[in-house]
Amino acid sequence: MWCDMKEQKIRDNLSLIKDALLQDAFLDDILNMGNVLELIMANKREKIKKVHGYAITPPKKSNRYWTTYYKRENESRKLIRGHSEEELLNKLIKLYEADQNLDNRTFYQLYLEWLEYKTPLANSANTIKRHKQHYKKYFEPTKLHGIKLSDIDTLILEEECNRIVKTFNLSRKEWVNAKTILNGMFDYAKRKKYIADNPLIDMKISVRYRQIVKKTGTTQTYNTDELQELNSYLDKMYQETNDSSFVAVRLNFFLGLRVGELVALKPEDILENQIHVVREEIRDQETNRCYVVEHTKTSDDRFVALVPKAKALLDKLEMNGTYLFERNGERLTARQIAYVLEKYAQSQGIGTKSSHKIRKTYASRLNANGVPLDAIREQLGHADLATTLSYIYNPLTEKETYSLISGAL
């Protein structure tokens, strides 16, 4: 407390010295009021340039004005114009000072600004929709929602985030997904120079996460016997119907593609010993409409090994349409692939294993047969090896597992 009083006294003394120097400068005609006001406005204009969330656009041939946008909370953004950059910035100063936004930006206002920045960069509208859902569920009920950005420190953030994890009984994975919003917001705020340091860096979760029962290969993969039975069913159904969806399911056990990537393949993607994966199907959750985009989930293309057995399956297809897998001239969708697996499970009287389990089976079988983990990561299109490890289970039967253990020992 004594230290705080001492520091305040020093600040007061410095303020008195500064005031005295300014007074002397005025008396000696070194400064005049006009110069001082212009210096203050110039400083404010520089500050506006740093904190303003929209681009400031110079005049173009079709427009003689400098332009930008300004947005108040719960209102649509408004176009602001000026004959010069200085005039435009002066208008913004008045708006910011009127709304007390220049130094009083709240956590929620930062979220809205970050979301507007993030929306055109997201690969899918579903990503933005998920961010909105997570913010409304987890962060809107907390004190963070209305707090000024300048008042947020690591301890306040830690208190509220621990409360969120405890209140909603979140697993570690669920919290990581929710924290994506915080990561994006504070990284954006630092790059925009709204904050000097990211308070999230030293933030710790000390409450216990909800424990998740570890999944096993029994539920997450098709073991050798299950795969043999499924393949027999797929071959039989293709012979009876000539429906390429059965070949698509069979083929993906040799490719390990995301189902959206599988149904977006085109004949020109097939090379001699590889398949070039460059696009995927996505589903708009609001309209429930499926369409193909010219990028993958990670935005990176990749080449997947095309082994002889996979080539033999491709030879069964006519490949005279736009897409590799079509029915009556229409591209097959991910939902139709899932339906094949559902019908199979129904015919066998067993639980359905989703199309994503095919991808896990692919990764697990490669691992069980000694393919290096990094090679599996590349085939799956993962950026992080930890993600690949989460796909790997034991895809062997008990007899096969026992045989391997016996041989090793």
Side-chain angles (χ1 to χ4, degrees), residues 206-343:
S206 54
V207 299
R208 280 179 61 86
Y209 293 108
R210 178 168 55 85
Q211 299 303 304
I212 303 295
V213 177
K214 176 65 178 174
K215 296 173 182 176
T216 68
T218 303
T219 60
Q220 297 303 300
T221 65
Y222 290 84
N223 70 29
T224 309
D225 290 345
E226 290 172 333
L227 188 53
Q228 186 175 353
E229 291 174 2
L230 174 58
N231 285 339
S232 296
Y233 169 84
L234 295 171
D235 289 341
K236 176 175 176 292
M237 293 304 296
Y238 180 68
Q239 288 175 1
E240 292 178 1
T241 65
N242 203 36
D243 189 328
S244 64
S245 63
F246 298 105
V247 176
V249 173
R250 185 107 154 73
L251 178 68
N252 209 28
F253 281 101
F254 294 107
L255 302 179
L257 304 183
R258 300 177 180 94
V259 67
E261 296 170 341
L262 179 69
V263 296
L265 288 175
K266 294 182 178 181
E268 59 262 34
D269 299 330
I270 301 171
L271 309 178
E272 185 177 354
N273 291 316
Q274 294 176 315
I275 283 187
H276 193 195
V277 184
V278 295
R279 71 189 73 80
E280 68 172 350
E281 173 197 280
I282 62 173
R283 179 184 293 274
D284 188 316
Q285 291 183 357
E286 292 184 359
T287 64
N288 207 34
R289 186 173 67 89
C290 292
Y291 54 94
V292 171
V293 291
E294 292 300 318
H295 59 75
T296 64
K297 182 179 180 180
T298 58
S299 297
D300 295 323
D301 67 328
R302 70 184 188 281
F303 293 90
V304 175
L306 189 59
V307 299
K309 287 185 178 180
K311 291 181 182 180
L313 288 171
L314 288 173
D315 288 340
K316 295 181 178 182
L317 301 174
E318 296 180 1
M319 295 194 206
N320 52 11
T322 303
Y323 291 94
L324 199 59
F325 302 108
E326 294 186 350
R327 180 188 294 160
N328 299 325
E330 295 290 329
R331 179 184 64 83
L332 289 180
T333 65
R335 181 69 195 92
Q336 288 166 318
I337 299 298
Y339 183 70
V340 170
L341 295 171
E342 291 167 7
K343 290 297 289 183

Side-chain angles (χ1 to χ4, degrees), residues 66-70 78-82 88 91-92 95:
W66 286 73
T67 59
T68 188
Y69 290 96
Y70 184 78
K78 294 181 179 179
L79 178 67
I80 310 298
R81 300 190 301 178
L88 181 68
K91 287 184 177 181
L92 286 174
L95 289 168

Side-chain angles (χ1 to χ4, degrees), residues 345-357:
Q346 186 179 4
S347 71
Q348 301 295 308
I350 58 176
T352 302
K353 288 186 177 179
S354 69
S355 56
H356 194 57
K357 301 296 190 296

